[in-house]
Amino acid sequence: MRTLIALALGRASRKLIRTFRHGGGSAVPGTIASKIQPKLFEIAIKRFPQGLIIVSGSSGKSSTTKFLVQILQNQGLSVFTNPSTANIKQGLFSAVLQGSKWLSLPKADIAVIEMDEAYAAVIGAPLQPRLSIITNVMDEQLDRFMDSENVVSALHKLSLASKQVLANGNDPKLAKLKADNFHFFGLSTSLSQKEEAPRYAVSTASPIENLDFEIIGESPFKMRSKNFAYELPTKLQGLHMTINFGAAISAAELIVTNIDHNKLEETADTLQGVYGRDTREVIGGVESRILLVQNRESFRLNLLQAEAAEQLFMAIGTDVKDPSWLWGVNFHNLNSVDILSGHHAIPMKYRLQSCGVEVQLLQPNFEQALNEFIQMEPPTNGERVFMVTADTFRRMKRILELSS
Amino acid sequence: MIGFLYPEICNQQGDRGYKDWLEVHQIETCEVEDQIVDNLTGLVVGDVSEQGAILLESKLENHWLGKSIAQGLTVLAIGRAAQVLSRHLGIEPQMNSYKSQYVSTVFKGEELFGYVNGFHDLDQLITETQIGKGRLISCALLGPVAVVNPWVEEYCFGIKTSARNDLVDHYKKLLAD
């Protein structure tokens, strides 16, 4: 009965919020439902006959999840998943509400859930996932985790409760967790030494030398495992996305008994990324690129993608609690930022200046900043790029009514 | 010349960014590792992670740094790096509580602003210890502390860069929020 009431009230509040607020309302219905039936998520997850896959780690969770969902769906499985970033308690409960029809819980063969690192230990581990995918450990959200070792500790709890673990073997902190239930994916030594390869948190440990799933080519994507040699066409931009795709294929190999390679090729060819993670969108009549930056390393990797920018909008929002880490990003390859905005525009201005980057206009009013940027003359021989953090990305979507 | 000790390790909070700030203001900087650097006017030791602290501790064994401090070098050590360096120099670091938030603190009569995250002596967020002819300034305020607080760089290294009143005001506002 509690489950029915939670579904009814949660779904009603979701509908009400979405009526009045474009693109909003993912957390409140989940909070309401979790108060009424604290076991709603657990009850929903236990109904999937092929079990639960959790994707966790500092970054790459959303993309890996989305890639894996597409692969599994094309292999013929029905998949329950959560929207990207809805990866803490309220978001997980909201996903159940979103996936339910009337008063019946979501139906699918398998669940693939992106989960925040801390919640992966608290909510994910007790569910004893069939497979946990651990993407990496970065120095990020330090205001929340204090130290990346606390993230390792949370992910270790998840790994102990999981039947199988697929972890990034390039990341020394994850290599250190190695146990019998672990499989490791990652870039080959030569790829991992490239400038565009992700860098992980400082560690006294070493990466895994013999990877179970070794990515050896970026475009076309090439990976070898004990059973297969993959060569797939992709339009992925950046090695960090290649790793996420590699993690998803490795997971599929562990889950699907007889993988259909023709269908896998189809998926690779038509692969959809997560909205905002290097998304091309026509904004104000101009094809623009949206790059979401979430931490020091994602800023670095996205800056490598933004080298073709002729016009650059940058906005650092309230999701950045302590702007100190911005000083760890190297902006020396940027020429200028056309418009700088967001809650931390002022510290960002000083960081950019210290790298010799000119800020054409600092506009504290975010909506005005967006409008002024969109009204600029279209670029002539380069790209128009929006580089935003989670908070300013959400506000941008709402103001411009972008549909993800 | 302002040195930055093991900047690959001591960069937990973007501490290395201060090097860019100094260079853009025509102040000479260098990276300081195992090799002796003898023309330093000051040394910055950025914050370290838990694993970074283990690496820093091992690198400081038999390091020339202690001798240089005793001969007159001023060191600004930030966050957990200050605790590592204190132990290395035989000073017991004071840590009484955990905090993660914006703070202001008064040091030598100056009000300073910043962000703390970790176990520190919350009654004394900045301390100065005389070691021979040199000084160890241990600072719990993280990240670009000398950029946010122009007084700090003048006090530690005797240098003045450009005015940044709006940055100081931004931190005051963050503290008030």
Side-chain angles (χ1 to χ4, degrees):
Chain A
M1 182 55 91
R2 287 171 79 95
T3 303
L4 288 178
I5 297 169
L7 282 175
L9 293 182
R11 282 181 59 82
S13 65
R14 184 171 182 272
K15 195 170 180 185
L16 192 69
I17 290 166
R18 291 176 78 86
T19 307
F20 293 104
R21 195 178 176 194
H22 175 83
S26 83
V28 175
T31 308
I32 293 170
S34 70
K35 296 278 180 213
I36 299 165
Q37 173 51 290
K39 290 188 170 178
L40 182 69
F41 183 70
E42 185 185 335
I43 292 166
I45 290 296
K46 287 194 169 161
R47 289 162 53 93
F48 303 122
Q50 294 207 35
L52 165 69
I53 300 174
I54 289 178
V55 185
S56 194
S58 297
S59 60
K61 296 184 284 288
S62 297
S63 297
T64 304
T65 303
K66 184 145 188 183
F67 295 157
L68 179 57
V69 168
Q70 290 170 79
I71 293 167
L72 295 180
Q73 282 173 337
N74 255 14
Q75 294 291 321
L77 292 170
S78 60
V79 183
F80 170 74
T81 190
N82 52 336
S84 73
T85 71
N87 60 16
I88 61 172
K89 190 177 175 186
Q90 300 90 322
L92 300 172
F93 278 70
S94 288
V96 173
L97 297 174
Q98 193 179 337
S100 61
K101 283 198 178 129
W102 294 103
L103 297 180
S104 64
L105 288 161
K107 289 191 177 81
D109 295 320
I110 193 165
V112 179
I113 299 292
E114 170 195 341
M115 214 176 271
D116 170 89
E117 306 87 288
Y119 285 90
V122 179
I123 296 180
L127 298 173
Q128 297 181 307
R130 174 179 176 185
L131 173 69
S132 288
I133 304 171
I134 306 180
T135 56
N136 50 53
V137 178
M138 307 267 187
D139 283 325
E140 65 137 24
Q141 297 190 65
L142 293 175
D143 55 285
R144 186 172 158 228
F145 293 116
M146 192 171 95
D147 195 282
S148 52
E149 281 304 296
N150 294 327
V151 177
V152 174
S153 167
L155 294 172
H156 189 213
K157 278 184 193 155
L158 174 69
S159 75
L160 290 173
S162 305
K163 290 181 185 71
Q164 291 191 90
V165 179
L166 177 66
N168 183 344
N170 296 144
D171 185 339
K173 281 184 189 279
L174 297 181
K176 210 174 164 183
L177 298 181
K178 188 177 179 179
D180 289 346
N181 59 341
F182 269 65
H183 308 267
F184 287 99
F185 67 92
L187 297 174
S188 64
T189 307
S190 61
L191 283 178
S192 67
Q193 284 166 353
K194 289 177 94 171
E195 177 67 12
E196 311 88 73
R199 294 172 193 159
Y200 307 106
V202 169
S203 174
T204 52
S206 303
I208 292 286
E209 277 181 20
N210 297 311
L211 298 162
D212 301 292
F213 301 91
E214 186 183 23
I215 300 164
I216 51 173
E218 192 179 2
S219 185
F221 171 86
K222 287 183 189 172
M223 185 173 81
R224 58 183 170 219
S225 70
K226 200 169 75 180
N227 302 319
F228 301 109
Y230 297 89
E231 182 167 338
L232 300 162
T234 69
K235 299 177 188 81
L236 296 168
Q237 300 273 341
L239 266 178
H240 57 301
M241 280 297 165
T242 302
I243 297 175
N244 297 334
F245 185 54
I249 294 186
S250 311
E253 191 180 312
L254 293 171
I255 293 296
V256 181
T257 315
N258 290 309
I259 206 155
D260 182 329
H261 286 264
N262 290 329
K263 284 185 176 171
L264 188 59
E265 201 162 310
E266 273 172 33
T267 315
D269 201 29
T270 56
L271 202 65
Q272 299 278 314
V274 178
Y275 193 79
R277 274 67 161 183
D278 200 355
T279 299
R280 287 175 193 275
E281 175 87 68
V282 176
I283 299 172
V286 176
E287 188 180 88
S288 307
R289 213 165 160 188
I290 306 171
L291 297 169
L292 175 71
V293 293
Q294 306 197 82
N295 54 45
R296 186 159 76 180
E297 186 56 9
S298 86
F299 221 139
R300 183 184 77 83
L301 295 169
N302 278 303
L303 281 168
L304 294 171
Q305 298 301 312
E307 277 172 357
E310 183 183 325
Q311 297 175 341
L312 182 58
F313 175 89
M314 199 179 270
I316 312 297
T318 52
D319 54 304
V320 175
K321 290 282 182 293
D322 171 18
S324 296
W325 65 261
L326 297 170
W327 287 80
V329 183
N330 184 349
F331 294 95
H332 285 93
N333 287 338
L334 272 186
N335 290 323
S336 72
V337 171
D338 293 276
I339 297 185
L340 177 64
S341 188
H343 185 64
H344 289 300
I346 290 171
M348 191 65 202
K349 175 188 77 173
Y350 283 98
R351 176 58 190 141
L352 289 166
Q353 282 177 358
S354 73
C355 292
V357 181
E358 205 179 331
V359 175
Q360 304 292 341
L361 176 69
L362 189 148
Q363 173 53 266
N365 182 313
F366 181 71
E367 192 162 350
Q368 205 172 320
L370 263 183
N371 287 329
E372 286 180 35
F373 186 66
I374 291 165
Q375 281 161 20
M376 283 173 70
E377 285 294 315
T380 50
N381 57 4
E383 293 183 322
R384 178 177 279 186
V385 174
F386 292 82
M387 201 168 252
V388 286
T389 65
D391 161 56
T392 46
F393 177 53
R394 271 193 296 271
R395 289 168 67 194
M396 178 180 161
K397 281 201 295 183
R398 195 171 297 151
I399 292 165
L400 301 177
E401 297 191 349
L402 302 174
S403 171
S404 53
Chain B
M1 170 105 74
I2 308 291
F4 285 76
L5 187 70
Y6 299 112
E8 289 289 334
I9 301 169
C10 306
N11 190 31
Q12 167 90 337
Q13 305 283 348
D15 309 78
R16 196 180 187 173
Y18 182 46
K19 191 171 182 291
D20 299 324
W21 172 265
L22 293 173
E23 282 170 4
V24 97
H25 287 90
Q26 282 79 49
I27 290 164
E28 219 180 328
T29 69
C30 67
E31 296 190 355
V32 174
E33 302 210 331
D34 304 340
Q35 293 274 316
I36 294 180
V37 183
D38 52 14
N39 55 342
L40 293 174
T41 48
L43 182 74
V44 178
V45 188
D47 191 22
V48 287
S49 63
E50 209 174 299
Q51 292 275 291
I54 296 168
L55 288 170
L56 180 61
E57 267 166 10
S58 70
K59 286 186 176 289
L60 285 175
E61 279 174 25
N62 307 316
H63 202 277
W64 50 271
L65 181 60
K67 207 171 171 183
S68 278
I69 299 172
Q71 287 169 353
L73 182 67
T74 294
V75 176
L76 172 63
I78 297 176
R80 196 187 264 129
Q83 293 158 12
V84 173
L85 217 55
S86 294
R87 278 193 294 273
H88 175 69
L89 297 167
I91 308 159
E92 199 49 50
Q94 297 292 308
M95 291 180 280
N96 60 18
S97 195
Y98 170 78
K99 197 173 215 177
S100 173
Q101 66 179 69
Y102 290 101
V103 290
S104 70
T105 187
V106 176
F107 177 65
K108 306 278 178 190
E110 285 292 321
E111 188 178 21
L112 306 171
F113 299 91
Y115 193 89
V116 290
N117 184 22
F119 287 93
H120 297 286
D121 181 356
L122 299 179
D123 301 323
Q124 294 185 83
L125 291 171
I126 305 181
T127 59
E128 180 174 340
T129 310
Q130 194 74 31
I131 298 161
K133 292 178 185 170
R135 307 179 284 169
L136 171 67
I137 297 165
S138 299
C139 180
L141 307 182
L142 299 176
V145 58
V147 184
V148 175
N149 301 282
W151 181 88
V152 170
E153 64 181 7
E154 195 178 353
Y155 180 76
C156 294
F157 308 129
I159 52 175
K160 266 188 181 178
T161 51
S162 57
R164 54 265 196 195
N165 296 339
D166 55 348
L167 183 62
V168 181
D169 290 344
H170 180 70
Y171 272 78
K172 283 181 185 171
K173 192 173 174 296
L174 290 170
L175 178 65
D177 289 348

